[in-house]
Amino acid sequence: MESNLLFQLIVNGVIVGTLYGVVAMCFVLIYKSTQVVNFAQGEFLLIGAWTCWWLVTSMALPFWIAFPLTFVFMLVFGIVLQMVVLRPLIGEPVISVIMVTIGLSIFFQAVMKSIFGVWAQPFPEIFPVKSVNVLGLQVQPAYLMSLVVSVVIMGLFAWFFKYSRMGLAMRATAFNQQVAQSLGISVKNVFAMAWAISAMVSALAGVVVGMVNGVSSALSFFGIKVFPAVIVGGLDSIVGAIIGGLIIGLLENLAEYADGQYLHLGNLYTVAPFYVLVIILMIKPYGLFGTKTIERV
Amino acid sequence: MAEPALKLDPSEILLSVNNIEVVYDDVILVLRGVSLDVPKGKIVTLLGPNGAGKSTTLKAISGLLGTEDGEVTRGNITFMGEDIANRAPEEIVRRGIFQVMEGRRIIEDMTVTENLRLGAFTRKDGGAAIRNDIDLVFNYFPRLKERTGLAGYLSGGEQQMLAIGRAMMARPKMILLDEPSMGLSPLLVKEVFGIIEKLCAETGVTILLVEQNARMALKIAEFGYIMESGKIVLDGPKDDLVNNEDVKEFYLGGDKERKSFKNLKSYKRRKRWL
Ligand SMILES: Nc1ncnc2c1ncn2[C@@H]1O[C@H](COP(=O)(O)OP(=O)(O)O)[C@@H](O)[C@H]1O
Ligand SMILES: [Mg+2]
């Protein structure tokens, strides 16, 4: 019985961990290609989730149309955000740019609240069943979908950076912007692309979590949990981001288990990842996969 | 108005730099009226001591000056008859000029093939043509073909070959080569320069070769310019330069102590750019 619960929590951990991994990957993508630490990453989830929710409820579109439409909207949103807000900041000190992303985070939260209100809104039922049985475990269909889509996205990322022309250009830009420019790459376009992909893919996580927990500003907190994932993995490693996400997802669930079974401290699991973060950084200051000269891959 | 340096038929000239002045950070004047012409399909070399402004000249042409807060503040640069001064580097690559920067600057965390594919970034003619050209590069540089690991692990000579191969991948009309001999053994320099010469002869690509190794550069170039302190101080066909007493003494001579043309009484500095 109890080992069954443990197993269930591990599966949950892997599922949530992959989502963390996907969002962490998006964060790293922006950091690697543009050297911007994006504190508004969580708001991408929020905006994506509200957009999809609005399309499904107010516009009464079927989910399978609303979901891709959300992606398209976020793609455009990312490009516009980069062009209007971040492009003029190129060359400004890192700290100013960080302050701007913190400002963006607060701004987007406020805008979402003013449009959609402060209460969590449930997603209409998308799937006909509440949970599906996978190897004797009860899994919410939204999570199952999230796992599948996350894995597909990770595969697409791998393909994109290994084989596509634009993916190579983004890696070249991450390596050295002047070298990239000497090859005829427009660094501005690469930056816009990084923000666009990051916003779009983060929105996926937002929609999935919104489907399970309802859409509310709590989604930004999901974005904050991605920081330990990113830092554990190493700020500049995409693979590290995924593994970091898995570690954080598992830890959260294992901490919940430990707390429920033995410790009874209550809510321990929400902060456990941060303790682990501190411990890992004490042992490996650049994260598990980070490089010491952090500009390099 | 500047008189053409090499008395070329204007239709033969691919690139013409006319009396340019370059300033870094709005205040540091580095090039003080540089002019040079590069005829189509030839190798032209730009020689001179460290700090003369050779790399700056190349960056002015390729537009990379902008990435270092530099600017062409006077004069113009025409490529195939159009002014290209102060344009974005990606536009200049698209127009057909590709710079191989000093120190090779290959992307160390990518494979040889990935570096080569990036060279073709601005091309629109599809995967098959690009794969073909990768094979072409491997024909010129067979030893690159065997290297399957990351480019960062290549030797200096191989990295230089990769940098040149990557330039070929763009199918440029003109390649700007900045000190390809830097840090290479004499044997490797010979090999690399041999390939550069072959490249020009076989593909018809025009090459502007910046070098400190005047002896090697004048072996493969048809024309040469000599630059000191931001100005061209001497130019001419290769044979004129090789037989010039001053060039012999200061650039080709055995004695390592290089004096400056400026302190030389016997050498009448030409002032035709003024
Ligand atoms: N990015 C830069 N900012 C300011 N000064 C520079 C820059 N690059 C080069 N210089 C200066 O311009 C002069 C010429 O440099 P450079 O063109 O690199 O010479 P060369 O390639 O002939 O050795 C040097 O005095 C150098 O200090
Ligand atoms: Mg130089």
Side-chain angles (χ1 to χ4, degrees):
Chain A
M1 178 65 213
E2 259 149 46
S3 71
N4 201 356
L5 173 66
L6 181 64
F7 190 46
Q8 172 94 48
L9 283 170
I10 288 176
V11 170
N12 282 356
V14 169
I15 289 170
V16 178
T18 355
L19 271 185
Y20 285 144
V22 165
V23 181
M25 208 164 69
C26 294
F27 177 91
V28 169
L29 178 62
I30 288 183
Y31 178 75
K32 257 178 97 92
S33 16
T34 73
Q35 275 82 49
V36 171
V37 177
N38 179 24
F39 280 93
Q41 197 73 40
E43 280 63 38
F44 288 169
L45 279 79
L46 187 66
I47 297 170
W50 276 125
T51 306
C52 192
W53 179 87
W54 180 77
L55 289 171
V56 172
T57 56
S58 303
M59 295 288 102
L61 289 175
F63 180 73
W64 58 271
I65 295 180
F67 199 41
L69 268 185
T70 306
F71 273 30
V72 173
F73 169 77
M74 291 304 287
L75 194 76
V76 176
F77 172 78
I79 292 173
V80 172
L81 183 66
Q82 198 280 330
M83 280 172 50
V84 175
V85 181
L86 291 134
R87 189 168 292 179
L89 293 171
I90 292 175
E92 296 294 323
V94 177
I95 190 73
S96 323
V97 185
I98 289 180
M99 293 314 280
V100 169
T101 67
I102 293 175
L104 280 176
S105 153
I106 297 168
F107 173 73
F108 288 138
Q109 286 209 33
V111 170
M112 289 299 117
K113 273 186 189 143
S114 76
I115 299 177
F116 297 105
V118 292
W119 308 111
Q121 298 284 352
F123 241 86
E125 289 302 329
I126 306 295
F127 297 101
V129 287
K130 265 233 162 316
S131 64
V132 282
N133 192 315
V134 182
L135 304 168
L137 292 170
Q138 297 305 310
V139 183
Q140 297 201 39
Y143 273 159
L144 211 56
M145 178 189 88
S146 122
L147 190 63
V148 172
V149 179
S150 297
V151 170
V152 168
I153 283 180
M154 287 170 185
L156 285 176
F157 258 63
W159 175 86
F160 179 75
F161 286 112
K162 189 90 190 119
Y163 298 108
S164 83
R165 174 175 165 274
M166 214 44 214
L168 286 177
M170 290 178 89
R171 280 167 66 195
T173 307
F175 176 77
N176 183 298
Q177 292 179 13
Q178 192 185 35
V179 171
Q181 281 170 291
S182 81
L183 303 174
I185 294 164
S186 160
V187 170
K188 281 182 193 164
N189 290 353
V190 165
F191 286 3
M193 185 84 131
W195 282 85
I197 295 176
S198 185
M200 181 178 85
V201 177
S202 301
L204 157 90
V207 171
V208 170
V209 180
M211 282 163 69
V212 176
N213 298 337
V215 186
S216 75
S217 57
L219 277 173
S220 320
F221 187 64
F222 191 94
I224 293 172
K225 291 242 206 74
V226 163
F227 285 106
V230 167
I231 292 167
V232 164
L235 256 184
D236 59 348
S237 166
I238 298 240
V239 177
I242 296 171
I243 293 175
L246 280 173
I247 291 177
I248 298 300
L250 279 171
L251 271 175
E252 233 177 29
N253 280 278
L254 292 178
E256 183 181 355
Y257 177 77
D259 186 50
Q261 297 293 315
Y262 313 110
L263 300 169
H264 307 292
L265 297 172
N267 282 341
L268 169 71
Y269 58 95
T270 50
V271 286
F274 293 92
Y275 287 122
V276 175
L277 168 68
V278 171
I279 293 166
I280 288 187
L281 288 185
M282 272 157 50
I283 302 164
K284 294 202 70 160
Y286 293 95
L288 294 176
F289 297 88
T291 33
K292 291 205 168 62
T293 50
I294 239 156
E295 253 79 63
R296 293 277 197 77
V297 178
Chain B
M1 200 49 227
E3 159 198 341
L6 297 164
K7 310 271 186 317
L8 293 159
D9 177 350
S11 67
E12 287 173 39
I13 296 175
L14 184 65
L15 176 89
S16 177
V17 175
N18 302 304
N19 205 18
I20 58 165
E21 205 174 75
V22 166
V23 174
Y24 282 112
D25 303 319
D26 293 327
V27 286
I28 310 166
L29 178 66
V30 171
L31 297 190
R32 303 178 295 157
V34 169
S35 299
L36 52 88
D37 290 335
V38 182
K40 203 178 283 175
K42 301 279 172 17
I43 301 179
V44 171
T45 183
L46 175 59
L47 306 169
N50 207 0
K54 306 180 298 295
S55 299
T56 301
T57 307
L58 292 192
K59 286 181 211 151
I61 299 167
S62 67
L64 287 173
L65 212 52
T67 67
E68 296 183 5
D69 252 323
E71 201 191 348
V72 178
T73 51
R74 217 182 66 197
N76 62 59
I77 302 170
T78 55
F79 180 66
M80 303 202 302
E82 287 177 61
D83 188 13
I84 57 164
N86 295 323
R87 299 291 174 96
E90 64 258 27
E91 187 193 328
I92 292 175
V93 173
R94 277 173 212 280
R95 281 170 184 258
I97 301 181
F98 200 102
Q99 178 171 358
V100 178
M101 282 189 284
E102 197 173 321
R104 338 197 201 291
R105 312 290 291 274
I106 52 139
I107 299 169
E108 289 161 16
D109 57 10
M110 289 191 189
T111 62
V112 167
T113 316
E114 285 172 335
N115 267 281
L116 292 177
R117 280 170 53 208
L118 267 172
F121 179 80
T122 51
R123 277 170 61 176
K124 300 258 183 291
D125 53 354
I130 287 168
R131 276 190 294 278
N132 247 341
D133 281 0
I134 290 178
D135 287 337
L136 183 76
V137 170
F138 286 152
N139 277 340
Y140 277 93
F141 305 104
R143 56 163 91 191
L144 287 182
K145 193 170 185 171
E146 292 140 34
R147 301 313 208 119
T148 49
L150 294 183
Y153 297 120
L154 298 178
S155 71
E158 289 164 342
Q159 293 194 356
Q160 187 61 60
M161 293 174 187
L162 178 55
I164 296 172
R166 189 171 65 179
M168 290 167 65
M169 289 302 296
R171 293 213 158 244
K173 298 187 179 68
M174 180 171 191
I175 299 179
L176 313 174
L177 278 175
D178 200 347
E179 301 209 28
S181 76
M182 192 199 265
L184 303 190
S185 70
L187 212 64
L188 263 172
V189 173
K190 224 172 167 176
E191 185 180 344
V192 169
F193 275 50
I195 297 171
I196 295 171
E197 195 173 20
K198 190 169 152 218
L199 193 64
C200 175
E202 292 179 358
T203 68
V205 66
T206 306
I207 290 173
L208 178 54
L209 170 67
V210 158
E211 260 304 333
Q212 290 202 53
N213 187 337
R215 185 185 298 278
M216 281 308 295
L218 286 172
K219 275 204 179 111
I220 64 168
E222 289 195 33
F223 300 96
Y225 290 85
I226 296 179
M227 175 177 239
E228 278 186 8
S229 316
K231 288 193 160 189
I232 302 288
V233 292
L234 185 66
D235 62 67
K238 161 232 207 89
D239 292 330
D240 290 8
L241 291 177
V242 172
N243 296 320
N244 181 299
E245 288 305 317
D246 300 327
V247 176
K248 270 190 195 162
E249 184 179 350
F250 296 113
Y251 288 94
L252 304 173
D255 81 287
K256 292 275 178 287
E257 263 177 78
R258 233 187 238 151
K259 292 170 222 149
S260 168
F261 274 106
K262 276 189 295 189
N263 310 326
L264 202 69
K265 289 242 169 64
S266 68
Y267 179 70
K268 275 206 309 251
R269 283 175 66 198
R270 300 185 209 184
K271 305 228 169 176
R272 62 164 165 253
W273 309 124
L274 302 177

